[in-house]
Amino acid sequence: MIPVRGHTGARVAVLGLGRSGLSAARSLRAGGAEALCWDDNPAAREAAQAEGFTCADLLQPGALDNVAALIVSPGIPHLYPSPNPVVAAALAAGIPVDNDIGLFFRSLATSDWQGYEIAPRVVAVTGSNGKSTTAALIHHILTATGRRSQLAGNIGRGVLDIDPPGDGDVVVLELSSYQTDLARALTPDIAVFTNLSPDHLDRHAGQGGYFAAKRRLFAEGGPDRAVIGVDEPEGLFLAGQMAEAAADDRVIRVSVTRKLTGPGWQVFARKGFLAEYRKGKQVASIDLRSVSGLPGAHNHQNACAAYAVARSLGLAPRVIEGALHSYPGLPHRSQIVATAEGVTYVNDSKATNVDSAAKALAAFPRIRWICGGLEKEGGLEALRGLTGAVAKAYVIGREAAAFALQLDVESEICTDMATAVARAVTEAEPGDTVLLAPAAASFDQYDNFEQRGTDFTEQVLKQL
């Protein structure tokens, strides 16, 4: 646990008692603060009270009196589409609003670090797609090569739940736009921006606000090194803002669409080969085609970003290459769950938006595509022309018929996962990939994308 610093003896309100909220309450208490908790869910309040926390409705008169700060969980709106009433009340009262990420960066460093030979480092990864895989891959490379590492944030443990890092340790964080948007402190040593595509637009009042939330990771704290995907205009702009000159190697540019040239530091992948260039010269190359845990160009982008971070931390190219080959992949993200009679079954339930689904569709030569769910803002128009590898789509979800009408491939309305998997298994031929890449949220039929991916996996195993 990381005890929160700066609030000793103070009363701090915590809104939302999920993983991050309850973790923040514990760390506040460990740091000598009084945590005053609230969640609209009675079961969440009971869990907090069972740990000895005081729960009180923060909208009641006087509830925010003498409160030094309000700590808000990431799922609770603080500005758009409209502030949560408790957040609005705190802002009106002049109470600082923060989240567990801000508390983490304010509290991580201690006087013990003065005795370390190598100070702990924090790597923070954000972006629309691939940030979970990139963060997990960085953590894997470090641990596989003998560096102590902890993975936390939007993946793994809550940031305040980790152990205090020791001499030479690395903390790898995955951070969502909800987390970077509100944190009052953001000071990673290395910051990573994977890419940007439309997502969570209601929470950020559009694409510009969404990018601004991601950009805060770089603008607020000034990382020592920035690893930036430049295949979208926003990434190219961000790299330009962070670099003092074309040869400034504090910025490592990453691409999977073109060869990067120039006097700076670049890592890119073309036709399955990763290349590292510095000062206009190639210094390393890795064949990614045989790395089973990272199929497709979108995963090659993740590999490039993770490679760049590992190089920044002093690891040699061949050492990194060996670790890439032992990476098992993440559940629900291009996860191979079975192979039978020449057919591969891949669970990419995390492909919850159009852009991530398009990248999954580009990773395999002939696809039986299971898609559908709660459609996101903007529809499916961006997928048109990108479905050339799809032999047929099997559409699930409560609005499966409306979803299917937007597709430019042959489709069958299946509604539920069991039917979709059964039909795909029956019709699949050797060389096909049965791919779950929904291009939609899961909440019309499942609690989350993990539950949807688990259902797919279970249905596949039943059929084989």
Side-chain angles (χ1 to χ4, degrees), residues 67-210:
V67 166
L70 173 66
I71 308 304
V72 180
S73 292
I76 298 173
H78 57 271
L79 185 55
Y80 301 113
S82 61
N84 177 278
V86 176
V87 175
L91 293 172
I95 296 171
V97 178
D98 203 351
N99 61 14
D100 63 326
I101 305 301
L103 295 178
F104 169 84
F105 278 110
R106 288 179 56 187
S107 306
L108 183 64
T110 68
S111 58
D112 293 340
W113 288 24
Q114 297 176 11
Y116 292 163
E117 183 177 343
I118 302 175
R121 311 287 295 280
V122 177
V123 178
V125 181
T126 196
S128 295
N129 301 307
K131 57 184 179 294
S132 295
T133 297
T134 300
L137 183 55
I138 294 167
H139 172 65
H140 172 79
I141 291 170
L142 292 170
T143 54
T145 55
R147 291 285 295 271
R148 290 188 302 272
S149 172
Q150 297 182 77
L151 181 63
N154 204 43
I155 185 174
R157 305 159 71 186
V159 292
L160 293 169
D161 280 337
I162 69 168
D163 300 324
D167 196 338
D169 288 3
V170 180
V171 177
V172 183
L173 305 180
E174 179 202 339
L175 299 181
S176 72
S177 59
Y178 296 175
Q179 293 169 311
T180 58
D181 196 23
L182 187 59
R184 294 173 65 89
L186 287 166
T187 54
D189 298 284
I190 302 173
V192 180
F193 177 87
T194 58
N195 51 56
L196 196 81
S197 61
D199 209 355
H200 309 306
L201 301 188
D202 59 331
R203 276 290 298 267
H204 300 294
Q207 182 85 339
Y210 178 49

Side-chain angles (χ1 to χ4, degrees), residues 242-261:
M242 296 299 295
E244 294 294 333
D248 186 352
D249 67 0
R250 293 174 303 169
V251 176
I252 305 178
R253 291 169 172 82
V254 168
S255 176
V256 289
T257 63
R258 64 192 188 278
K259 177 180 178 179
L260 298 177
T261 59

